[in-house]
């Protein structure tokens, strides 16, 4: 029985042996993969630790505590790698103490240079070197007279005066123009007035920033103090726009002017000259407009006079040629003659008819009356020809230019031309008189609602405003530069 059992076991052992071998190989493969995965994890952790150690060594070589912590973490990671276990830390990584670094010191230095230093320099200059300036204020507007008709004045709807916005714009540009600067500089020396505080940095009493440099704006700092004045008019115009401020309201047509100078009388004098020159410019514009209106009216009047002369000359020439002053009166007399002849002819014919009825045929009175009637008829025909109403068969007499009908027609044409020329002359003369009346009064003028003032205390420069703006823009510039630098650092 034992022999049979042993044979049965021997026959079943090969299958069990093969299964055991396969299971061992699978376990070995799993162990090998687990070991490989552990090695990869350990290699990744090792690289990360090396990078952390390198960054810590570069930023703070003296941080021994951090280095020790990193060494302990490296030792723990190495031990975990040797044991084939996961080397992930069990707690958070210790953070080193916050200490100022190089970039922090650079940011602070840039703040001192770009913000604090300009602000302090500006404050020192404003309260130690800047000279006080006085401001003269004046306000004016351009007024235009507009007189309406008598009916409008009676109705109370006429606008006697108004403001011209276009003239205000012209005046605004004129005050800022080089022409006005040159005219005022010829009357008072603007270069001497605005450069009086001096422009030398070495002299503690000079104000080189706000004082005018007569040698030119580009040599304000570098030019020697004894260099003769002679700046260009363009340079003076640029400084003019700094010292003369013009404010225009297009809605109301008002102009406000502020003039700065280092003494109150000089500021008032410059403002008064600006007002006088502006008034003269407006008067010139009004004079040009009046001259244009008068010239046009005068030209129309000259044309009307010439037309009237031509019409009168033509009528005089007609009277000389026809020897008739008024064809209308002459034709009335001619018609009276023709009527009288026709009446005499009728009486002669009646008498002839009576003689033929009561006397013999050879009565000499009949012959006499017949001759009388014939003579009267011939005279009537001649008179009719003079009037231009001869018989239709007489074509030669119908075209006679001396006929009264033709003379009357020509006279009426000349009379119409003369009447039109007289009416045109009357209208042109009235328009010319109206233009002269308009030219005799000032239709456009400059009205000052505030005369140039004389300042009692200096109001410029506004030191606190300038200092605040300097600090604000310095801080904004510094902040933009710092943000740009950190943005470039983060991109690397």
């Amino acid at each position: 029985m034992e022999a049979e059992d042993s044979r049965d076991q021997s026959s079943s052992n090969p299958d069990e042996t093969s299964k055991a071998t396969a299971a061992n190989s699978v376990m070995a493969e799993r162990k090998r993969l687990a070991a490989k995965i552990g090695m990869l994890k350990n290699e990744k952790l090792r690289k990360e630790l090396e990078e952390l150690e390198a960054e810590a060594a570069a930023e703070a070589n003296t941080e021994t505590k951090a280095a020790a912590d990193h060494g302990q973490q490296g030792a723990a990671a190495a031990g975990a790698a040797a044991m084939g276990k996961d080397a992930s830390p069990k707690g958070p990584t210790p953070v080193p103490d916050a200490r100022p670094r190089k970039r922090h010191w650079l940011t602070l230095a840039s703040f001192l240079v770009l913000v604090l230093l300009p602000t302090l320099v500006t404050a020192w200059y404003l309260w130690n070197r800047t000279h006080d300036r006085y401001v003269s204020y004046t306000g004016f507007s351009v007024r235009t007279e507009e007189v309406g008709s008598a009916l409008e004045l009676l109705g109370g709807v006429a606008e006697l005066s108004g403001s011209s916005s276009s003239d205000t714009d012209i005046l605004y540009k004129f005050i800022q123009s080089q022409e006005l600067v040159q005219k005022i500089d010829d009357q008072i020396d603007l270069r001497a007035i605005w450069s009086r505080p001096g422009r030398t940095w070495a002299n503690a009493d000079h104000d080189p920033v706000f004082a005018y440099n007569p040698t030119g704006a580009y040599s304000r700092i570098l030019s020697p103090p004894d260099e003769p004045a002679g700046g260009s008019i363009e340079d003076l115009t640029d400084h003019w726009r700094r010292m003369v401020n013009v404010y225009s309201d297009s809605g109301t047509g008002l102009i406000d002017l502020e003039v700065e100078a280092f003494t109150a009388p000089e500021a008032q004098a410059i403002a008064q000259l600006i007002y006088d020159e502006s008034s003269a410019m407006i008067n010139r514009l009004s004079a040009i407009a009046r001259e244009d209106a008068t010239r046009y009216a005068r030209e129309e009047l000259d044309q009307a006079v010439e037309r009237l002369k031509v019409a009168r000359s033509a009528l005089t020439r007609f009277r000389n040629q026809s020897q008739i002053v008024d064809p209308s009166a002459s034709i009335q007399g001619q018609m009276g003659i023709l009527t009288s002849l026709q009446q005499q002819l009728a009486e002669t014919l009646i008498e002839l008819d009576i003689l033929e009825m009561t006397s013999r045929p050879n009565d000499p009175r009949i012959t006499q009356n017949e001759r009388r009637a014939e003579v009267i008829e011939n005279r009537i025909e001649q008179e009719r020809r003079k009037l231009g109403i001869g018989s239709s068969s007489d074509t030669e007499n119908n075209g006679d230019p001396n006929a009264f009908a033709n003379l009357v027609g020509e006279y009426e044409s000349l009379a119409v031309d003369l009447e039109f020329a007289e009416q045109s002359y009357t209208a042109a003369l009235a328009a010319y008189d109206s233009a002269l009346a308009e030219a005799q009064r000032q239709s456009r003028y400059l009205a000052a609602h505030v005369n140039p003032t004389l300042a009692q205390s200096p109001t410029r420069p506004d030191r606190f405003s300038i200092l605040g703006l300097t600090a604000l823009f310095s801080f904004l510039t510094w902040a933009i530069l710092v943000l740009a630098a950190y943005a470039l650092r983060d991109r690397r």
Side-chain angles (χ1 to χ4, degrees):
M1 292 294 293
E2 294 178 358
E4 290 178 357
D5 292 335
S6 61
R7 283 194 301 266
D8 292 336
Q9 291 178 0
S10 61
S11 60
S12 59
N13 282 337
D15 295 335
E16 293 178 356
T17 303
S18 60
K19 290 180 180 180
T21 303
N24 293 333
S25 62
V26 170
M27 293 296 294
E29 185 66 22
R30 288 179 179 178
K31 290 180 181 181
R32 186 178 63 80
L33 291 176
K36 188 174 181 181
I37 291 173
M39 292 177 64
L40 291 176
K41 290 182 179 180
N42 293 335
E43 183 67 20
K44 183 177 180 180
L45 290 174
R46 185 182 62 79
K47 290 181 179 180
E48 291 179 355
L49 291 174
E50 289 178 356
E51 291 178 357
L52 292 174
E53 290 175 355
E55 182 178 358
E59 291 182 354
N61 294 326
T62 59
E63 297 179 357
T64 56
K65 184 177 179 179
D69 293 339
H70 286 297
Q72 292 175 2
Q73 293 177 2
M83 295 173 64
K85 297 181 180 179
D86 191 0
S88 58
K90 295 182 179 180
T93 303
V95 178
D97 296 338
R99 294 183 180 181
R101 299 181 182 179
K102 182 179 180 180
R103 62 177 181 272
H104 301 152
W105 293 111
L106 291 177
T107 302
L108 179 61
S110 64
F111 178 82
L112 296 176
V113 174
L114 297 179
V115 180
L116 188 59
L117 181 61
T119 304
L120 293 177
V121 171
T122 302
W124 169 81
Y125 187 88
L126 289 174
W127 270 271
N128 289 277
R129 298 290 295 271
T130 302
H131 286 237
D132 293 331
R133 299 194 301 272
Y134 296 83
V135 179
S136 177
Y137 172 79
T138 181
F140 45 83
S141 61
V142 181
R143 312 300 296 178
T144 302
E145 294 292 339
E146 297 178 358
V147 178
S149 63
L151 293 177
E152 291 177 344
L153 291 175
L154 291 176
V157 295
E159 184 179 359
L160 296 180
S161 64
S163 177
S164 176
S165 60
S166 60
D167 293 336
T168 302
D169 297 336
I170 293 173
L171 189 59
Y172 178 79
K173 292 295 183 182
F174 175 74
I175 295 175
Q176 296 179 331
S177 66
Q178 178 178 323
E179 178 184 359
L180 179 61
V181 177
Q182 184 65 57
K183 288 182 178 180
I184 296 181
D185 185 55
D186 294 338
Q187 301 179 42
I188 57 175
D189 193 357
L190 292 176
R191 294 178 174 86
I193 291 175
W194 284 336
S195 62
R196 185 175 296 112
R199 53 187 178 83
T200 305
W201 285 93
N203 193 334
D205 295 332
H206 286 193
D207 185 4
V209 173
F210 294 100
Y212 173 71
N213 184 7
T215 61
Y218 296 103
S219 58
R220 185 182 301 277
I221 299 177
L222 301 178
S223 61
D226 56 349
E227 186 174 343
S232 63
I233 186 61
E234 290 80 9
D235 200 36
L236 183 59
T237 303
D238 292 338
H239 193 76
W240 168 279
R241 293 168 182 171
R242 294 176 56 192
M243 305 297 285
V244 177
N245 300 318
V246 189
Y247 307 97
S248 175
D249 189 351
S250 59
T252 60
L254 301 179
I255 292 180
D256 296 329
L257 186 66
E258 293 181 355
V259 180
E260 300 179 15
F262 295 99
T263 61
E266 290 176 345
Q268 186 184 30
I270 296 174
Q272 185 63 45
L273 288 175
I274 293 175
Y275 175 78
D276 295 339
E277 292 296 333
S278 300
S279 179
M281 188 271 294
I282 293 298
N283 292 336
R284 287 196 302 270
L285 293 179
S286 299
I288 293 173
R290 290 195 298 268
E291 290 176 0
D292 291 341
T294 306
R295 184 176 66 252
Y296 296 151
R298 183 65 186 177
E299 290 177 357
E300 291 181 357
L301 180 60
D302 293 340
Q303 293 177 2
V305 170
E306 187 65 26
R307 187 183 298 113
L308 182 60
K309 290 180 179 179
V310 172
R312 287 179 175 176
S313 299
L315 187 60
T316 302
R317 187 167 51 253
F318 167 78
R319 288 171 175 171
N320 292 331
Q321 291 176 358
S322 62
Q323 298 297 318
I324 299 175
V325 177
D326 189 357
S328 300
S330 299
I331 200 171
Q332 289 178 3
Q334 196 69 26
M335 289 298 295
I337 295 174
L338 182 60
T339 302
S340 177
L341 289 175
Q342 288 177 349
Q343 185 178 1
Q344 292 178 14
L345 179 60
E347 292 176 355
T348 301
L349 291 177
I350 293 172
E351 186 178 357
L352 181 60
D353 292 340
I354 294 172
L355 289 174
E356 288 178 353
M357 291 173 63
T358 59
S359 63
R360 297 186 303 272
N362 56 355
D363 190 346
R365 291 179 298 177
I366 295 175
T367 304
Q368 184 180 2
N369 287 330
E370 289 178 351
R371 290 178 180 177
R372 180 182 173 82
E374 183 179 356
V375 171
I376 292 174
E377 288 178 354
N378 291 333
R379 177 53 59 187
I380 290 175
E381 186 65 26
Q382 291 177 4
E383 294 300 330
R384 291 174 64 87
R385 289 173 182 172
K386 289 181 181 180
L387 293 174
I389 54 176
S391 61
S392 58
S393 61
D394 193 357
T395 57
E396 294 181 1
N397 292 331
N398 288 339
D400 187 4
N402 293 324
F404 274 94
N406 296 330
L407 293 177
V408 170
E410 185 177 357
Y411 175 79
E412 290 178 350
S413 176
L414 295 175
V416 170
D417 293 340
L418 178 60
E419 183 180 2
F420 178 76
E422 290 176 348
Q423 293 178 357
S424 299
Y425 171 76
T426 303
L429 183 60
Y432 180 69
D433 292 340
S434 177
L436 288 179
E438 180 71 18
Q440 290 176 357
R441 69 181 184 88
Q442 190 178 16
S443 60
R444 182 166 44 186
Y445 59 93
L446 196 66
H449 54 272
V450 177
N451 292 319
T453 59
L454 180 63
Q456 296 182 355
S457 61
T459 57
R460 302 288 172 85
D462 191 351
R463 292 177 171 84
F464 290 101
S465 296
I466 295 177
L467 182 62
L469 291 175
T470 302
L472 175 62
F473 284 101
S474 299
F475 177 78
L476 292 177
T477 303
W478 170 80
I480 292 173
L481 293 177
V482 170
L483 291 176
Y486 271 88
L488 293 176
R489 179 180 176 276
D490 293 339
R491 290 179 61 89
R492 290 183 299 179

